[in-house]
Amino acid sequence: MDRDQIFSALGLDTQPSGVFGGAWLDPSGEPLESENPATGGSIGTVRQASVADYGVVVSAAEEAFLEWRMLPAPKRGDYVRQIGNALRDHKEPLGALVSMEMGKIRAEGEGEVQEAIDIADFAVGLSRQLYGLTMVSERPRHRMYEQWHPLGPIGIITAFNFPVAVWAWNAFVAAVCGDTMIWKPSPAVPFTSIATTKICAEVMAGTGYEGVFNLTVGGIDVGEAMVGDSRLPLISATGSVRMGATVGAKVAGRLGRSILELGGNNAIIVMDDADLDLAVRASLFAAAGTAGQRCTSLRRLIVHQAISDVLAERLVEAYAQIPIGDPLDGGTLMGPLINGDAVTNTKAALDIALEQGGVLLYGGAPVDRPGHFFEPTLVKIPASAAIVQEETFGPIMWMIEVDSLDEAISVQNGVRQGLSSAIFTDSLRNAERFLSAEGSDCGIANVNIGTSGAEIGGAFGGEKETGGGREAGSDSWKAYMRRQTVTINWSSELPLAQGIEFG
């Protein structure tokens, strides 16, 4: 599909409004051009929100919340179900738009839309499971229980690399909990957010709940307004550690809640008893998939020295077979980085690594073609190199040799980030050690599976500089609701008032 076919299938034009607050608004912010990272050409221009436009959207979300919160949760879940079905109907063109605007290959673009569909199904199930506990009172003829109420309008800030799925992880769970929302997407992928919001708007049109799923494509001023807005009791933000530190501090300063899913410096340990066929395939996809632009991308391959040379040889052979090109082409397995700065930063990280004792095994250069491409790169490097402490958001994998599982776990845990980890081993003892309290310190720990992602229904946890992780577990909904403890007295007395005469 080309741009015109994608736009026609999704009902888009080349100069759309990027602001929805119960209806599409005519925004007054600066125009924003979206670039195709595979060609460097323009996709179109979006009309952005100003701070004043943002205020209109928040008012719409507040008004909608008053009615949406009183709709029974299973009814809210049914609207989410309908949106999930609408995403199914638009999976191919929306996936193609993700590929065109973000740069991931078609299989990954459609896979991301499928992830949004899956989380819709998950949220529909949750809509009938917003349980509270019943507790035993110490007072006779009293009953205690907890119940959960919606929070209010919430803010969702998303990064460029998953322009549909990360929003869905938040939006669908929040919606069944009774919250309305304002979405601020990355300015690198505005058309994807508009297309997704349009799908939601078409489902909600005429229901009286048009102001549940709102959008503000806007600049830093809009983001700052959102983060500082006391009308939004929760901000969920995905992005860099620096961004998370700023957002977390500002939201905490107004005593609000935040969900932060930040950087990753993920590692796979490959032991000398590992299935190397499995390890090579998993490492290749984890490191080169999405051109290394996932928060769960593989950054560090920690390899037992007994198999290091063999594994390096096999990885080099596999890297040489990766077709690089336009992500919309069927044979492409790795697309571009998001922009020119990403290419520059990847090359700079490689140069630092070589200065710090790294040995280039494969790749290492921008690709000579239009767009923002960089070769998948493999570097053998000492664990002591300072660069391995940093998250390089590109297709570079550091290969680090170790002599034992003890050393491997120490190297893996010896960074500031704590998102995703894996071990490849055929030893039950090694696997259980890796999964124990003295093993991986990451929110995700896998055995004989790569680092890239977590399944629907499993907690996408994080530790250290990674933040608190995303919301995905069976009790994820609690982040979007407030708990209320209820005590009922069904006796004829108030125990604390005994002996007091009331006139």
Side-chain angles (χ1 to χ4, degrees):
M1 303 178 77
D2 60 22
R3 186 197 70 171
D4 292 344
Q5 291 171 320
I6 294 169
F7 275 26
S8 176
L10 295 171
L12 296 173
D13 60 63
T14 58
Q15 293 184 319
S17 167
V19 185
F20 184 88
W24 290 103
L25 306 182
D26 185 14
S28 56
E30 294 294 320
L32 173 67
E33 185 175 33
S34 178
E35 180 189 47
N36 182 335
T39 65
S42 175
I43 293 173
T45 303
V46 171
R47 291 174 287 141
Q48 293 191 98
S50 65
V51 173
D53 298 323
Y54 162 78
V56 173
V57 173
V58 174
S59 295
E62 285 186 303
E63 183 177 354
F65 173 69
L66 300 179
E67 300 299 326
W68 183 248
R69 66 183 176 177
M70 296 306 297
L71 188 68
K75 298 292 186 182
R76 299 192 295 252
D78 190 62
Y79 284 116
V80 172
R81 180 190 62 80
Q82 293 177 52
I83 293 172
N85 288 339
L87 288 169
R88 284 182 173 90
D89 294 338
H90 294 85
K91 178 178 174 179
E92 182 179 0
L94 186 57
L97 178 58
V98 171
S99 296
M100 179 175 66
E101 192 169 41
M102 184 268 151
K104 61 179 63 175
I105 63 174
R106 282 293 296 275
E108 291 187 86
E110 291 189 19
E112 180 174 345
V113 179
Q114 183 61 51
E115 188 173 342
I117 294 166
D118 292 343
I119 197 65
D121 291 345
F122 176 71
V124 172
L126 282 182
S127 71
R128 295 182 179 270
Q129 300 180 71
L130 307 180
Y131 303 134
L133 297 173
T134 297
M135 297 160 282
V136 178
S137 174
E138 65 184 26
R139 292 170 286 188
R141 293 178 173 80
H142 283 65
R143 182 165 66 88
M144 293 178 65
Y145 67 91
E146 65 179 20
Q147 61 183 4
W148 294 80
H149 292 308
L151 275 180
I154 68 167
I156 302 173
I157 301 172
T158 59
F160 74 87
N161 55 340
F162 282 88
V164 177
V166 170
W167 166 81
W169 281 93
N170 288 278
F172 294 152
V173 177
V176 300
C177 289
D179 301 330
T180 57
M181 64 215 69
I182 300 99
W183 179 14
K184 184 189 180 304
S186 164
V189 284
F191 278 91
T192 302
S193 64
I194 292 168
T196 304
T197 301
K198 194 173 189 303
I199 290 169
C200 294
E202 288 172 354
V203 170
M204 304 303 285
T207 66
Y209 305 113
E210 292 85 354
V212 174
F213 301 96
N214 302 292
L215 176 69
T216 53
V217 176
I220 294 174
D221 55 344
V222 171
E224 290 178 343
M226 175 182 285
V227 170
D229 194 339
S230 59
R231 293 172 294 179
L232 307 184
L234 170 68
I235 299 291
S236 178
T238 301
S240 68
V241 173
R242 182 176 64 179
M243 180 277 290
T246 299
V247 170
K250 288 186 176 180
V251 175
R254 59 177 175 84
L255 302 181
R257 298 188 195 179
S258 61
I259 300 173
L260 302 175
E261 202 273 289
L262 310 176
N265 193 350
N266 312 295
I268 287 178
I269 294 171
V270 184
M271 295 302 296
D272 52 351
D273 62 351
D275 180 333
L276 292 188
D277 289 336
L278 201 60
V280 168
R281 291 196 299 270
S283 299
L284 186 74
F285 175 72
T290 324
Q293 296 174 112
R294 299 189 198 99
C295 57
T296 54
S297 288
L298 174 59
R299 311 295 176 196
R300 298 172 296 138
L301 189 66
I302 303 168
V303 184
H304 194 286
Q305 58 87 23
I307 58 166
S308 177
D309 290 343
V310 174
L311 185 57
E313 183 179 341
R314 294 188 61 175
L315 282 170
V316 168
E317 181 181 359
Y319 268 42
Q321 299 176 54
I322 298 175
I324 303 170
D326 191 323
L328 291 173
D329 293 342
T332 299
L333 290 183
M334 195 180 98
L337 296 175
I338 188 64
N339 54 35
D341 287 345
V343 174
T344 299
N345 292 339
T346 300
K347 183 63 169 63
L350 175 62
D351 291 343
I352 292 170
L354 298 180
E355 293 174 0
Q356 294 178 355
V359 177
L360 182 65
L361 301 182
Y362 187 85
V367 179
D368 186 16
R369 56 168 293 158
H372 310 301
F373 293 86
F374 198 92
E375 294 174 327
T377 300
L378 179 63
V379 176
K380 188 174 182 179
I381 195 166
S384 59
I387 191 64
V388 303
Q389 290 285 330
E390 307 300 328
E391 179 187 30
T392 300
F393 221 60
I396 297 182
M397 180 163 64
W398 313 123
M399 186 171 180
I400 302 168
E401 284 189 0
V402 294
D403 292 327
S404 65
L405 180 58
D406 283 349
E407 184 182 3
I409 292 173
S410 176
V411 170
Q412 181 204 279
N413 294 346
V415 296
R416 299 186 303 276
Q417 308 85 3
L419 179 53
S420 188
S421 62
I423 187 171
F424 281 76
T425 180
D426 281 347
S427 164
L428 178 62
R429 182 173 295 173
N430 286 344
E432 290 293 342
R433 172 85 183 282
F434 174 77
L435 297 173
S436 74
E438 65 181 7
S440 170
D441 66 356
C442 293
I444 299 170
N446 300 327
V447 177
N448 294 333
I449 304 173
T451 58
S452 300
E455 300 232 12
I456 304 298
F460 199 133
E463 304 294 339
K464 301 188 285 190
E465 282 191 358
T466 295
R470 272 213 305 270
E471 41 304 316
S474 59
D475 61 350
S476 57
W477 53 272
K478 293 180 179 178
Y480 300 94
M481 304 193 81
R482 60 181 177 87
R483 181 170 59 184
Q484 184 178 71
T485 300
V486 177
T487 302
I488 298 174
N489 173 20
W490 56 280
S491 74
S492 59
E493 298 178 345
L494 288 175
L496 296 180
Q498 289 179 358
I500 300 177
E501 295 289 337
F502 293 91

